[in-house]
Amino acid sequence: MDKEELHDEVVNYKPQMTNKERMEKYLTGQRVDHLPFSLGLDVAYGHILGYTSSQLRGDFDASCEVIQKRIDTYHVDGINISLGLKFIGAACGSVLSFPDDGPEFVSEFVMADGEIDMSKIDLPHPRTNPVLSGILEKGKKLKERFSDQTISTSLSGPITTAASIRPVEKLLRDMRKNQAGFKDLMQFSLDAALKWVQVFEEEFGPHATVGIAAPVSANDLLSPKQFDELSLPYLRDLVEGIIKITGKKPSLHMCGHTKAFWSKIHDLNIASFSVDNLENLRETKEALGDRMMILGNVPPVEVLLQGSPEDVIESVKDCIIKAADSPSGYIVSAGCGLSPLTPEENLDAFIYAIRKYGADAKLGEIPQAVYQD
């Protein structure tokens, strides 16, 4: 099948269920048309449609066009109003830079110099802070434009938020030399996240779903002792706070290596864990699948960005074989965020492979379609 045939196959597909219906039936043990999947398409698909990442951030009509065409083309519905990893930091005074085709980054930290000084920052209120209120207002406009779509939000874990206020290398030093200040900043980051969730629930509820991204909590940066003592307590409080506000368990994604922390993650009250492609998906399932859904972990760079459609299809099949029989469920996903430059044929291949090889899926089973050509 060439690229044109693959694209036609994808866009002409008529799904039997919406994403929401598929997930609800799947989680109650009913057989569904194909395995659920999750792929943050908008930035990559926006680039395919001719928009840069910065245009999609600033142009409401461009965002709407991408969302509508994504729904029409791929039948992937839902809207996520994301704070990303850096916007609470920006709301506190850090300066962000926005490349045309890539994620935002902190170019100037509000607490870059000296020791931690909590007098430099105020807890940002989502309705009055210029940064957060702008995101909130865009979300409300999207909700009005797409009234039939489910709305979710995502934000960073406490230590990742802290790393948008203070450089990560200084946070790592603070862990050793200024734990009192470090804990003050972590509590502030937790409080800021829960304030966003509270206002989001009021605006978009009831029971808006929440995703947590916690890359700075990974074993690549933290030792197991540091994770247990200085990151996990605040991450646990964030999870429990979200449940108290929304009535729903959040999802958690951690980039990088996390295997050393799986026993602790197992005890978190989360709905799902999204694992980076640096870890083995089968091992993740065996360690965590009795407790939560597993998401993962097609490599976003080596396969989705740089590979061929055939590479993508084989990677999706491999992930299904490794994890589709997870007792709490499995969602096919990338191992981390998509590059804006991911080619269209690889997006097509990802979705095609799930529909073909994840067909006739049921919770706790590997679909037989994966063994057939």
Side-chain angles (χ1 to χ4, degrees), residues 221-341:
L221 291 171
L222 304 186
S223 70
K225 186 174 187 292
Q226 289 172 323
F227 178 77
D228 289 354
E229 296 179 359
L230 298 173
S231 178
L232 180 61
Y234 300 94
L235 185 58
R236 184 186 296 115
D237 286 349
L238 177 59
V239 168
E240 295 302 329
I242 289 169
I243 294 171
K244 183 176 180 180
I245 292 167
T246 68
K248 297 182 73 172
K249 296 179 182 181
S251 60
L252 174 64
H253 172 71
M254 291 177 67
C255 301
H257 294 91
T258 54
K259 184 177 180 178
F261 307 152
W262 286 350
S263 63
K264 303 296 183 179
I265 292 170
H266 184 275
D267 295 333
L268 283 174
N269 198 15
I270 54 177
S272 61
F273 179 67
S274 169
V275 64
D276 194 287
N277 52 285
L278 293 176
E279 297 289 8
N280 183 283
L281 187 59
R282 181 176 283 112
E283 292 180 358
T284 310
K285 173 195 69 177
E286 292 168 352
L288 301 174
D290 67 318
R291 173 79 170 173
M292 61 196 66
M293 293 189 73
I294 303 301
L295 280 75
N297 63 354
V298 176
V301 176
E302 298 88 343
V303 173
L304 284 164
L305 175 62
Q306 299 172 346
S308 67
E310 291 75 19
D311 294 330
V312 176
I313 291 169
E314 286 305 311
S315 185
V316 170
K317 288 175 66 177
D318 182 61
C319 287
I320 292 172
I321 291 169
K322 286 179 177 177
D325 58 349
S326 188
S328 297
Y330 171 60
I331 297 176
V332 190
S333 181
C336 200
L338 287 183
S339 165
L341 303 180

Side-chain angles (χ1 to χ4, degrees), residues 111-114 166-175:
M111 208 179 289
D113 301 319
R166 185 164 173 81
V168 68
E169 64 272 13
K170 294 192 175 181
L171 283 176
L172 295 175
R173 186 200 66 185
D174 296 330
M175 285 182 172

Side-chain angles (χ1 to χ4, degrees), residues 205-220:
H207 310 312
T209 59
V210 181
I212 303 168
V216 181
S217 288
N219 195 201
D220 306 77

Side-chain angles (χ1 to χ4, degrees), residues 57 83-99 102-113 121 131 156 159-171 215-216:
R57 277 187 288 265
L83 285 188
L85 304 179
K86 309 291 193 302
F87 281 94
I88 288 180
C92 294
S94 290
V95 178
L96 302 187
S97 292
F98 299 94
E104 66 278 353
F105 63 91
V106 179
S107 54
E108 183 179 336
F109 291 88
V110 65
M111 208 179 289
D113 301 319
I121 53 178
V131 173
S156 57
I159 194 170
T160 303
T161 294
S164 68
I165 295 171
R166 185 164 173 81
V168 68
E169 64 272 13
K170 294 192 175 181
L171 283 176
V216 181

